[in-house]
Amino acid sequence: MTVSLPLVVVLGFFAWGAVKFLGVRTWVVVLIALFGFYLSQTLLAPAIESGTRSGVDVINSSHA
């Protein structure tokens, strides 16, 4: 059985858990999200995307 979840859903779940259980302030989560949008417009975006894809591929291949 294969379950497919978008990475943004997984990260959103972790952000919710951090606010709920770790006591992280909501404004900190919003600030980190805005920083992510900023990084997506820089020259680091391709490196971040390829690193994320490599990580996801490693996780997918270890469970197959």
Side-chain angles (χ1 to χ4, degrees):
M1 183 169 128
T2 302
V3 177
S4 178
L5 288 174
L7 186 59
V8 70
V9 172
V10 174
L11 294 175
F13 178 73
F14 283 124
W16 172 82
V19 170
K20 178 84 171 164
F21 299 112
L22 298 177
V24 176
R25 303 273 184 189
T26 306
W27 68 268
V28 173
V29 174
V30 171
L31 186 67
I32 291 171
L34 290 174
F35 184 65
F37 282 111
Y38 171 73
L39 280 178
S40 71
Q41 300 299 318
T42 65
L43 295 174
L44 291 175
I48 293 169
E49 182 181 0
S50 69
T52 303
R53 287 192 189 276
S54 297
V56 169
D57 288 342
V58 166
I59 292 171
N60 285 339
S61 66
S62 68
H63 293 308

